[in-house]
Coordinates of all heavy atoms in Angstrom, one line a residue:
M1 N 83.7 117.0 95.2 CA 85.0 117.5 95.8 C 85.9 116.3 95.9 O 85.6 115.2 96.3 CB 84.7 118.1 97.2 CG 85.8 118.9 97.7 SD 85.3 119.8 99.2 CE 86.2 118.8 100.4
S2 N 87.2 116.6 95.6 CA 88.2 115.5 95.7 C 88.6 115.2 97.1 O 88.6 116.1 97.9 CB 89.4 115.8 94.8 OG 90.0 116.9 95.3
R3 N 88.9 114.0 97.3 CA 89.3 113.6 98.7 C 90.9 113.4 98.6 O 91.4 112.9 97.7 CB 88.7 112.2 99.0 CG 89.1 111.7 100.4 CD 88.3 110.5 100.8 NE 87.0 111.0 101.3 CZ 86.2 110.3 102.0 NH1 86.5 109.1 102.3 NH2 85.0 110.8 102.4
T4 N 91.5 114.0 99.6 CA 93.0 113.9 99.7 C 93.4 112.9 100.8 O 92.6 112.7 101.7 CB 93.6 115.2 99.9 OG1 93.2 115.8 101.1 CG2 93.3 116.2 98.8
Y5 N 94.6 112.4 100.7 CA 95.1 111.4 101.6 C 96.4 111.8 102.2 O 97.3 112.3 101.5 CB 95.2 110.0 101.0 CG 93.8 109.5 100.6 CD1 93.3 109.8 99.3 CD2 93.0 108.8 101.4 CE1 92.0 109.4 98.9 CE2 91.8 108.4 101.1 CZ 91.3 108.7 99.8 OH 90.0 108.3 99.5
D6 N 96.6 111.5 103.5 CA 97.9 111.7 104.2 C 98.4 110.5 104.8 O 97.6 109.5 105.1 CB 97.6 112.7 105.4 CG 97.2 114.1 104.9 OD1 97.4 114.5 103.8 OD2 96.6 114.8 105.8
I7 N 99.7 110.5 105.1 CA 100.3 109.5 106.0 C 100.6 110.3 107.2 O 101.2 111.4 107.1 CB 101.5 108.8 105.3 CG1 101.9 107.6 106.2 CG2 102.6 109.7 105.0 CD1 101.2 106.3 106.0
A8 N 100.3 109.7 108.4 CA 100.5 110.4 109.7 C 101.4 109.6 110.6 O 101.3 108.4 110.5 CB 99.2 110.7 110.4
C9 N 102.2 110.3 111.3 CA 103.0 109.6 112.4 C 102.5 110.0 113.7 O 102.5 111.2 114.1 CB 104.5 110.0 112.3 SG 105.5 109.2 113.6
H10 N 102.0 109.1 114.5 CA 101.4 109.4 115.8 C 102.5 109.7 116.8 O 102.3 110.4 117.8 CB 100.6 108.2 116.3 CG 99.2 108.2 115.6 ND1 98.1 108.8 116.1 CD2 98.9 107.6 114.4 CE1 97.1 108.6 115.2 NE2 97.5 107.9 114.2
D11 N 103.7 109.2 116.6 CA 104.8 109.4 117.6 C 105.3 110.8 117.4 O 105.6 111.5 118.4 CB 105.9 108.4 117.4 CG 105.5 107.0 117.7 OD1 104.9 106.8 118.8 OD2 105.6 106.1 116.9
C12 N 105.4 111.3 116.2 CA 106.0 112.7 115.9 C 104.9 113.7 115.7 O 105.2 114.9 115.7 CB 106.9 112.6 114.7 SG 108.3 111.5 114.9
R13 N 103.6 113.3 115.6 CA 102.5 114.2 115.4 C 102.6 115.0 114.2 O 102.4 116.2 114.2 CB 102.3 115.0 116.7 CG 102.1 114.2 118.0 CD 101.9 115.0 119.2 NE 100.9 115.9 119.1 CZ 99.6 115.7 119.3 NH1 99.2 114.4 119.5 NH2 98.7 116.6 119.2
V14 N 102.9 114.4 113.1 CA 103.1 115.1 111.8 C 102.3 114.3 110.7 O 102.1 113.1 110.8 CB 104.6 115.3 111.4 CG1 105.3 116.2 112.3 CG2 105.3 113.9 111.3
V15 N 101.9 115.0 109.6 CA 101.3 114.4 108.5 C 102.0 114.8 107.2 O 102.5 115.9 107.1 CB 99.8 114.7 108.4 CG1 99.0 114.1 109.6 CG2 99.5 116.2 108.2
L16 N 101.9 113.9 106.2 CA 102.4 114.3 104.9 C 101.3 113.9 103.9 O 100.8 112.8 103.9 CB 103.7 113.4 104.6 CG 104.3 113.6 103.2 CD1 104.9 115.0 103.1 CD2 105.4 112.6 102.9
W17 N 101.0 114.9 103.1 CA 100.0 114.8 102.0 C 100.6 113.9 100.9 O 101.6 114.3 100.3 CB 99.6 116.1 101.5 CG 98.5 116.2 100.6 CD1 97.4 115.3 100.5 CD2 98.2 117.2 99.6 NE1 96.5 115.8 99.5 CE2 97.0 116.9 98.9 CE3 98.9 118.4 99.2 CZ2 96.5 117.7 97.9 CZ3 98.4 119.1 98.2 CH2 97.2 118.8 97.6
I18 N 100.0 112.8 100.6 CA 100.6 111.9 99.6 C 99.7 111.5 98.4 O 100.1 110.8 97.5 CB 101.2 110.6 100.2 CG1 100.1 109.8 100.9 CG2 102.3 111.0 101.2 CD1 100.6 108.4 101.2
G19 N 98.4 111.9 98.5 CA 97.6 111.4 97.4 C 96.2 112.1 97.3 O 95.8 112.9 98.2
Q20 N 95.5 111.8 96.2 CA 94.2 112.4 96.0 C 93.4 111.5 95.0 O 94.0 111.0 94.1 CB 94.5 113.8 95.3 CG 93.3 114.6 95.1 CD 93.7 116.0 94.6 OE1 94.9 116.4 94.6 NE2 92.7 116.8 94.3
D21 N 92.1 111.4 95.3 CA 91.2 110.6 94.5 C 91.7 109.2 94.1 O 91.8 108.8 93.0 CB 91.0 111.4 93.1 CG 90.2 112.7 93.4 OD1 89.4 112.7 94.4 OD2 90.4 113.6 92.6
R22 N 92.1 108.5 95.2 CA 92.6 107.1 95.1 C 93.8 107.0 94.2 O 94.1 106.0 93.6 CB 91.5 106.2 94.5 CG 90.2 106.2 95.4 CD 89.3 105.1 95.1 NE 89.8 103.8 95.4 CZ 89.9 103.2 96.6 NH1 89.4 103.9 97.6 NH2 90.4 102.0 96.8
R23 N 94.6 108.1 94.2 CA 95.9 108.0 93.6 C 97.0 108.4 94.6 O 96.7 109.2 95.5 CB 96.1 109.0 92.4 CG 95.2 108.8 91.2 CD 95.5 109.8 90.1 NE 95.3 111.2 90.5 CZ 96.3 112.1 90.5 NH1 97.5 111.8 90.1 NH2 96.1 113.3 91.0
I24 N 98.2 107.8 94.5 CA 99.3 108.2 95.3 C 100.2 109.0 94.4 O 100.5 108.5 93.3 CB 100.0 107.0 95.9 CG1 99.1 106.2 96.8 CG2 101.3 107.5 96.7 CD1 98.6 106.9 98.1
Y25 N 100.7 110.2 94.8 CA 101.5 110.9 93.9 C 102.8 110.2 93.6 O 103.4 109.6 94.5 CB 101.8 112.3 94.5 CG 100.6 113.1 94.8 CD1 100.4 113.7 96.0 CD2 99.6 113.3 93.8 CE1 99.2 114.4 96.3 CE2 98.5 114.0 94.1 CZ 98.3 114.6 95.3 OH 97.2 115.3 95.5
Y26 N 103.3 110.3 92.4 CA 104.5 109.5 92.1 C 105.5 110.2 91.2 O 106.3 109.6 90.5 CB 104.1 108.2 91.4 CG 103.3 108.4 90.1 CD1 103.9 108.4 88.9 CD2 101.9 108.5 90.2 CE1 103.2 108.6 87.7 CE2 101.2 108.6 89.0 CZ 101.8 108.7 87.8 OH 101.1 108.8 86.7
T27 N 105.5 111.6 91.2 CA 106.6 112.3 90.6 C 107.9 112.0 91.3 O 107.8 111.5 92.5 CB 106.4 113.8 90.5 OG1 106.5 114.3 91.9 CG2 105.1 114.2 89.9
D28 N 109.0 112.2 90.7 CA 110.3 112.0 91.4 C 110.3 112.7 92.8 O 110.8 112.2 93.8 CB 111.5 112.5 90.6 CG 111.8 111.6 89.4 OD1 111.2 110.5 89.4 OD2 112.5 112.0 88.5
R29 N 109.8 114.0 92.8 CA 109.8 114.7 94.0 C 108.9 114.1 95.1 O 109.3 114.0 96.3 CB 109.3 116.2 93.8 CG 109.3 117.1 95.0 CD 108.9 118.5 94.6 NE 109.1 119.4 95.7 CZ 108.2 119.6 96.6 NH1 107.0 119.0 96.6 NH2 108.4 120.5 97.6
D30 N 107.7 113.6 94.6 CA 106.8 113.0 95.6 C 107.4 111.7 96.2 O 107.3 111.4 97.3 CB 105.5 112.6 94.9 CG 104.7 113.8 94.4 OD1 104.7 114.8 95.2 OD2 104.2 113.8 93.3
L31 N 108.1 110.9 95.3 CA 108.6 109.7 95.8 C 109.8 109.9 96.7 O 110.0 109.2 97.7 CB 109.1 108.8 94.6 CG 108.0 108.3 93.7 CD1 108.5 107.6 92.5 CD2 107.0 107.4 94.5
R32 N 110.6 111.0 96.5 CA 111.6 111.4 97.5 C 111.0 111.7 98.8 O 111.5 111.3 99.8 CB 112.5 112.5 96.9 CG 113.6 112.1 96.0 CD 114.6 113.1 95.8 NE 114.1 114.4 95.3 CZ 113.8 114.7 94.1 NH1 113.9 113.7 93.1 NH2 113.3 115.9 93.7
K33 N 110.0 112.5 98.8 CA 109.3 112.9 100.0 C 108.8 111.7 100.8 O 109.0 111.6 102.0 CB 108.1 113.8 99.7 CG 108.3 115.2 99.3 CD 107.1 116.1 99.4 CE 105.9 115.6 98.6 NZ 104.9 116.6 98.5
Q34 N 108.2 110.8 100.1 CA 107.6 109.6 100.7 C 108.7 108.7 101.3 O 108.6 108.2 102.4 CB 106.7 108.8 99.7 CG 105.5 109.6 99.4 CD 104.9 109.1 98.1 OE1 105.1 108.0 97.7 NE2 104.1 110.0 97.4
R35 N 109.8 108.6 100.5 CA 110.9 107.8 101.0 C 111.5 108.4 102.3 O 111.7 107.7 103.2 CB 112.0 107.7 99.9 CG 113.2 106.9 100.3 CD 114.4 107.1 99.3 NE 114.9 108.4 99.4 CZ 115.4 109.1 98.4 NH1 115.6 108.5 97.2 NH2 115.8 110.3 98.5
E36 N 111.8 109.7 102.2 CA 112.3 110.3 103.4 C 111.4 110.2 104.6 O 111.9 110.0 105.7 CB 112.7 111.8 103.1 CG 113.8 112.0 102.1 CD 115.1 111.3 102.5 OE1 115.4 111.3 103.7 OE2 115.6 110.6 101.7
F37 N 110.1 110.4 104.4 CA 109.2 110.2 105.5 C 109.2 108.9 106.1 O 109.3 108.7 107.3 CB 107.7 110.5 105.0 CG 106.7 110.5 106.1 CD1 106.4 111.7 106.8 CD2 106.1 109.4 106.4 CE1 105.5 111.7 107.8 CE2 105.1 109.3 107.5 CZ 104.9 110.5 108.2
F38 N 109.2 107.8 105.3 CA 109.2 106.5 105.8 C 110.5 106.2 106.5 O 110.5 105.5 107.6 CB 108.9 105.4 104.7 CG 107.5 105.4 104.3 CD1 107.1 105.7 103.0 CD2 106.5 105.0 105.2 CE1 105.8 105.6 102.6 CE2 105.2 105.0 104.8 CZ 104.8 105.3 103.5
Y39 N 111.6 106.6 106.0 CA 112.9 106.3 106.7 C 113.0 107.1 108.0 O 113.6 106.7 109.0 CB 114.1 106.6 105.8 CG 114.4 105.4 104.9 CD1 114.0 105.4 103.6 CD2 114.9 104.2 105.5 CE1 114.3 104.3 102.8 CE2 115.2 103.1 104.7 CZ 114.9 103.2 103.3 OH 115.1 102.0 102.6
E40 N 112.4 108.4 108.0 CA 112.5 109.1 109.3 C 111.6 108.6 110.3 O 111.8 108.8 111.5 CB 112.1 110.6 109.0 CG 113.2 111.5 108.5 CD 112.8 112.9 108.5 OE1 112.0 113.4 109.4 OE2 113.3 113.6 107.6
H41 N 110.6 107.8 110.0 CA 109.6 107.3 110.9 C 109.6 105.8 111.0 O 108.6 105.2 111.3 CB 108.2 107.9 110.6 CG 108.2 109.4 110.5 ND1 108.1 110.1 111.7 CD2 108.4 110.2 109.5 CE1 108.2 111.4 111.3 NE2 108.4 111.5 110.0
I42 N 110.7 105.2 110.8 CA 110.9 103.7 111.0 C 110.5 103.4 112.4 O 110.9 104.0 113.4 CB 112.3 103.2 110.7 CG1 112.5 103.2 109.2 CG2 112.6 101.9 111.3 CD1 113.9 102.9 108.8
E43 N 109.7 102.3 112.6 CA 109.2 101.8 113.9 C 108.3 102.8 114.6 O 108.0 102.6 115.8 CB 110.4 101.4 114.8 CG 111.2 100.2 114.2 CD 112.1 99.6 115.2 OE1 112.0 99.9 116.4 OE2 112.9 98.8 114.8
H44 N 107.8 103.8 114.0 CA 106.8 104.7 114.6 C 105.4 104.2 114.2 O 105.3 103.4 113.3 CB 107.0 106.1 114.1 CG 108.3 106.8 114.6 ND1 108.6 108.1 114.3 CD2 109.4 106.2 115.2 CE1 109.8 108.4 114.8 NE2 110.3 107.2 115.4
R45 N 104.5 104.7 114.9 CA 103.1 104.3 114.6 C 102.5 105.2 113.5 O 102.3 106.4 113.7 CB 102.2 104.5 115.9 CG 102.6 103.5 117.0 CD 102.0 103.8 118.3 NE 102.5 105.1 118.8 CZ 101.7 106.0 119.4 NH1 100.5 105.7 119.7 NH2 102.2 107.2 119.7
L46 N 102.4 104.6 112.3 CA 101.9 105.4 111.2 C 100.5 105.1 110.9 O 100.0 104.0 111.1 CB 102.8 105.1 109.9 CG 104.3 105.3 110.1 CD1 105.0 104.9 108.8 CD2 104.6 106.7 110.4
E47 N 99.8 106.0 110.3 CA 98.4 105.8 109.9 C 98.2 106.4 108.5 O 98.5 107.6 108.3 CB 97.4 106.5 110.9 CG 95.9 106.4 110.5 CD 95.0 107.0 111.5 OE1 95.4 107.5 112.6 OE2 93.8 107.1 111.2
F48 N 97.6 105.7 107.6 CA 97.2 106.2 106.3 C 95.7 106.4 106.4 O 94.9 105.5 106.7 CB 97.6 105.2 105.2 CG 97.1 105.5 103.8 CD1 97.6 106.6 103.2 CD2 96.1 104.8 103.2 CE1 97.1 107.0 101.9 CE2 95.6 105.2 102.0 CZ 96.2 106.3 101.3
N49 N 95.3 107.6 106.0 CA 93.9 108.0 106.1 C 93.6 109.2 105.3 O 94.5 109.8 104.8 CB 93.5 108.2 107.6 CG 92.1 107.8 107.9 OD1 91.2 107.9 107.0 ND2 91.8 107.4 109.1
D50 N 92.3 109.5 105.1 CA 92.0 110.7 104.3 C 92.3 111.9 105.2 O 92.2 111.9 106.4 CB 90.6 110.7 103.8 CG 89.5 110.8 104.9 OD1 89.3 111.9 105.4 OD2 89.0 109.7 105.2
S51 N 92.6 113.0 104.5 CA 93.1 114.2 105.2 C 92.0 114.8 106.2 O 92.4 115.3 107.3 CB 93.5 115.3 104.2 OG 94.4 114.8 103.3
E52 N 90.8 114.7 105.8 CA 89.7 115.3 106.6 C 89.6 114.5 107.9 O 89.4 115.1 109.0 CB 88.4 115.3 105.9 CG 88.3 116.3 104.8 CD 86.9 116.3 104.1 OE1 86.0 115.6 104.6 OE2 86.8 117.0 103.1
T53 N 89.6 113.2 107.9 CA 89.5 112.4 109.1 C 90.7 112.7 110.0 O 90.5 112.9 111.2 CB 89.5 110.9 108.7 OG1 88.3 110.7 107.9 CG2 89.4 110.1 110.0
L54 N 91.9 112.7 109.5 CA 93.1 113.0 110.3 C 93.0 114.4 110.9 O 93.3 114.5 112.1 CB 94.4 112.8 109.5 CG 94.8 111.4 109.1 CD1 95.9 111.4 108.1 CD2 95.1 110.6 110.4
S55 N 92.7 115.4 110.2 CA 92.7 116.7 110.7 C 91.6 116.9 111.7 O 91.7 117.7 112.7 CB 92.6 117.8 109.6 OG 91.4 117.8 109.0
A56 N 90.5 116.2 111.6 CA 89.4 116.3 112.6 C 89.7 115.6 113.9 O 89.3 116.0 114.9 CB 88.1 115.6 112.0
R57 N 90.5 114.5 113.8 CA 90.9 113.7 115.0 C 92.1 114.2 115.7 O 92.2 114.1 116.9 CB 91.1 112.3 114.6 CG 89.8 111.5 114.2 CD 90.1 110.1 113.9 NE 89.0 109.4 113.4 CZ 89.0 108.2 112.8 NH1 90.1 107.6 112.6 NH2 87.8 107.7 112.4
Y58 N 93.1 114.8 115.0 CA 94.3 115.1 115.6 C 94.8 116.5 115.2 O 94.4 117.0 114.2 CB 95.4 114.1 115.1 CG 95.0 112.7 115.2 CD1 94.7 111.9 114.1 CD2 94.8 112.1 116.5 CE1 94.3 110.6 114.1 CE2 94.4 110.7 116.5 CZ 94.2 110.0 115.4 OH 93.8 108.7 115.5
D59 N 95.7 117.1 116.1 CA 96.3 118.4 115.8 C 97.7 118.2 115.3 O 98.6 118.8 115.9 CB 96.2 119.2 117.0 CG 95.5 120.5 116.8 OD1 95.1 120.7 115.6 OD2 95.3 121.3 117.8
F60 N 97.9 117.4 114.3 CA 99.3 117.1 113.8 C 99.7 118.2 112.9 O 98.9 118.9 112.2 CB 99.3 115.8 113.1 CG 99.1 114.6 113.9 CD1 99.0 113.3 113.4 CD2 99.0 114.7 115.3 CE1 98.8 112.2 114.1 CE2 98.8 113.6 116.1 CZ 98.7 112.3 115.5
K61 N 101.0 118.4 112.9 CA 101.6 119.4 111.9 C 101.8 118.8 110.6 O 102.1 117.7 110.4 CB 103.0 119.9 112.4 CG 102.9 120.8 113.6 CD 104.3 121.4 113.9 CE 104.1 122.4 115.0 NZ 105.4 123.1 115.4
S62 N 101.5 119.7 109.6 CA 101.6 119.2 108.2 C 103.1 119.5 107.7 O 103.6 120.5 108.0 CB 100.7 120.0 107.3 OG 100.8 119.7 106.0
L63 N 103.7 118.5 107.1 CA 105.0 118.6 106.6 C 105.0 119.0 105.1 O 104.2 118.6 104.4 CB 105.8 117.3 106.7 CG 106.0 116.7 108.1 CD1 106.6 115.3 108.0 CD2 106.9 117.6 108.9
D64 N 106.0 119.8 104.8 CA 106.3 120.0 103.4 C 107.8 119.7 103.2 O 108.5 119.6 104.1 CB 106.0 121.5 103.0 CG 105.7 121.6 101.5 OD1 105.9 120.6 100.8 OD2 105.3 122.7 101.1
F65 N 108.2 119.6 101.9 CA 109.5 119.2 101.6 C 110.2 120.4 101.0 O 109.8 120.9 100.0 CB 109.4 118.0 100.7 CG 110.7 117.2 100.6 CD1 111.2 116.6 101.7 CD2 111.3 117.1 99.4 CE1 112.4 115.8 101.6 CE2 112.5 116.3 99.3 CZ 113.0 115.7 100.4
D66 N 111.3 120.8 101.6 CA 112.1 122.0 101.1 C 113.3 121.5 100.3 O 114.3 121.3 100.8 CB 112.5 122.8 102.3 CG 113.0 124.1 101.8 OD1 113.1 124.4 100.6 OD2 113.3 125.0 102.7
E67 N 113.0 121.4 99.0 CA 114.1 120.9 98.1 C 115.1 121.9 97.8 O 116.2 121.6 97.4 CB 113.5 120.3 96.8 CG 113.1 118.9 96.9 CD 112.8 118.3 95.6 OE1 111.9 118.9 94.9 OE2 113.3 117.3 95.2
D68 N 114.7 123.2 97.9 CA 115.7 124.3 97.6 C 116.8 124.4 98.6 O 117.9 124.8 98.4 CB 115.0 125.6 97.5 CG 114.0 125.7 96.4 OD1 114.2 124.9 95.4 OD2 113.1 126.5 96.4
E69 N 116.4 123.9 99.9 CA 117.4 124.0 100.9 C 118.2 122.7 100.9 O 118.9 122.4 99.9 CB 116.7 124.2 102.3 CG 116.0 125.5 102.4 CD 117.0 126.7 102.4 OE1 118.2 126.5 102.9 OE2 116.7 127.7 101.8
D70 N 118.1 121.9 101.9 CA 118.9 120.7 101.9 C 118.1 119.4 101.9 O 118.5 118.3 102.2 CB 119.8 120.6 103.2 CG 119.0 120.9 104.4 OD1 117.7 121.0 104.3 OD2 119.6 121.1 105.5
G71 N 116.8 119.5 101.4 CA 116.0 118.4 101.2 C 115.4 117.9 102.5 O 114.8 116.8 102.6
D72 N 115.4 118.7 103.6 CA 114.8 118.4 104.8 C 113.3 118.7 104.8 O 112.9 119.6 104.1 CB 115.5 119.1 106.0 CG 116.8 118.4 106.3 OD1 117.0 117.3 105.9 OD2 117.6 119.1 107.0
F73 N 112.6 118.1 105.7 CA 111.2 118.5 105.9 C 111.1 119.7 106.7 O 111.9 120.0 107.6 CB 110.4 117.4 106.6 CG 110.1 116.2 105.7 CD1 110.8 115.0 105.9 CD2 109.2 116.3 104.7 CE1 110.5 113.9 105.1 CE2 108.9 115.2 103.9 CZ 109.6 114.0 104.1
I74 N 110.1 120.5 106.4 CA 109.8 121.7 107.2 C 108.4 121.5 107.7 O 107.5 121.0 107.1 CB 109.9 123.0 106.4 CG1 109.1 123.0 105.1 CG2 111.4 123.3 106.1 CD1 109.2 124.3 104.4
E75 N 108.2 122.0 109.0 CA 106.9 121.8 109.6 C 106.1 123.1 109.4 O 106.6 124.2 109.5 CB 107.0 121.5 111.1 CG 107.6 120.2 111.4 CD 107.7 119.9 112.9 OE1 107.3 120.8 113.7 OE2 108.1 118.8 113.2
K76 N 104.8 122.9 109.1 CA 103.9 124.0 109.0 C 102.9 123.9 110.2 O 102.6 122.8 110.7 CB 103.1 123.9 107.7 CG 104.0 124.0 106.5 CD 103.2 124.2 105.2 CE 102.4 123.0 104.8 NZ 101.8 123.0 103.5
E77 N 102.4 125.1 110.6 CA 101.5 125.1 111.8 C 100.2 124.3 111.4 O 99.8 124.4 110.2 CB 101.2 126.5 112.2 CG 102.4 127.2 112.8 CD 102.9 126.4 114.0 OE1 102.1 126.0 114.9 OE2 104.2 126.2 114.1
P78 N 99.6 123.7 112.4 CA 98.3 123.0 112.1 C 97.3 124.0 111.7 O 97.3 125.2 112.1 CB 97.9 122.3 113.4 CG 99.0 122.7 114.4 CD 100.0 123.5 113.7
M79 N 96.3 123.5 110.9 CA 95.2 124.4 110.5 C 94.4 124.8 111.7 O 94.2 124.0 112.6 CB 94.3 123.6 109.5 CG 93.2 124.4 108.9 SD 92.1 123.4 107.9 CE 93.3 122.7 106.7
P80 N 94.0 126.1 111.8 CA 93.2 126.5 113.0 C 91.9 125.6 113.1 O 91.3 125.2 112.1 CB 92.8 127.9 112.7 CG 93.8 128.4 111.7 CD 94.2 127.2 110.9
L81 N 91.6 125.4 114.4 CA 90.4 124.5 114.6 C 89.2 124.9 113.9 O 88.4 124.1 113.4 CB 90.2 124.3 116.1 CG 91.2 123.5 116.9 CD1 90.9 123.6 118.4 CD2 91.1 122.1 116.4
E82 N 88.9 126.2 113.8 CA 87.7 126.7 113.2 C 87.6 126.4 111.7 O 86.5 126.4 111.1 CB 87.5 128.2 113.5 CG 88.5 129.1 112.9 CD 89.6 129.4 113.9 OE1 89.7 128.6 114.9 OE2 90.4 130.3 113.7
N83 N 88.8 126.1 111.1 CA 88.8 125.8 109.7 C 88.6 124.3 109.4 O 88.5 123.9 108.3 CB 90.1 126.2 109.0 CG 90.2 127.8 109.0 OD1 89.2 128.5 109.3 ND2 91.4 128.2 108.7
K84 N 88.6 123.5 110.5 CA 88.6 122.1 110.2 C 87.1 121.6 109.9 O 86.2 122.2 110.4 CB 89.1 121.3 111.5 CG 90.6 121.6 111.7 CD 91.1 120.7 112.8 CE 92.6 120.9 112.8 NZ 93.2 120.2 113.9
V85 N 87.1 120.6 109.1 CA 85.8 120.0 108.8 C 85.4 119.0 109.9 O 86.1 118.3 110.4 CB 86.0 119.2 107.4 CG1 84.7 118.5 107.1 CG2 86.4 120.2 106.4
K86 N 84.1 119.1 110.2 CA 83.6 118.2 111.2 C 83.1 116.9 110.5 O 82.4 117.0 109.5 CB 82.4 118.9 111.9 CG 82.7 120.1 112.7 CD 82.8 119.8 114.2 CE 83.0 121.1 115.0 NZ 84.2 121.7 114.9
I87 N 83.5 115.8 111.1 CA 83.0 114.5 110.6 C 81.8 114.1 111.4 O 81.8 114.1 112.6 CB 84.1 113.4 110.8 CG1 85.4 113.9 110.1 CG2 83.6 112.1 110.2 CD1 85.4 114.0 108.6
I88 N 80.7 113.8 110.7 CA 79.5 113.5 111.3 C 79.4 112.0 111.5 O 79.7 111.2 110.6 CB 78.2 114.0 110.5 CG1 78.3 115.5 110.4 CG2 76.9 113.6 111.2 CD1 77.3 116.1 109.5
Ligands
ZN101 ZN1 107.6 109.6 113.6

């Protein structure tokens, strides 16, 4: 099973999915998302970690990028606790 990676902001309690299997996504759209995320969270406490670890430890909202609208991030509800993977 592939491992996915997020960047999380502890101040805003949000995560952005940015990579998989030791790769960081780098299409134009991915790079725009990452740039906007970093600029929106300047001086905030950020954590780069695998998605399972972050979702097991925190109840942060997952961000997606709405390019059809005005390029702003939209927040998705956190995954229900019963669907989360337990880290042993
Ligand atoms: Zn932030």
Side-chain angles (χ1 to χ4, degrees):
M1 194 172 109
S2 64
R3 178 170 283 200
T4 61
Y5 294 91
D6 295 338
I7 187 88
C9 178
H10 285 269
D11 295 306
C12 301
R13 304 178 54 79
V14 293
V15 295
L16 179 68
W17 187 28
I18 64 168
Q20 186 171 353
D21 294 331
R22 300 193 67 79
R23 290 185 305 119
I24 300 294
Y25 301 131
Y26 59 91
T27 66
D28 287 347
R29 182 178 190 273
D30 295 320
L31 294 174
R32 276 198 303 281
K33 284 195 304 191
Q34 293 160 22
R35 179 192 66 208
E36 292 305 316
F37 185 89
F38 284 120
Y39 276 105
E40 277 191 30
H41 302 279
I42 285 176
E43 294 194 14
H44 294 186
R45 294 168 298 143
L46 303 181
E47 178 178 353
F48 174 67
N49 212 328
D50 67 80
S51 305
E52 288 183 8
T53 300
L54 285 170
S55 67
R57 290 181 182 167
Y58 312 110
D59 237 357
F60 292 174
K61 286 189 173 182
S62 178
L63 295 176
D64 202 352
F65 197 62
D66 191 356
E67 272 189 310
D68 294 337
E69 296 294 327
D70 50 9
D72 285 339
F73 285 107
I74 51 177
E75 292 183 357
K76 298 189 294 190
E77 290 303 311
M79 187 184 302
L81 286 174
E82 60 268 17
N83 293 349
K84 292 187 175 179
V85 176
K86 297 255 187 295
I87 305 295
I88 300 173

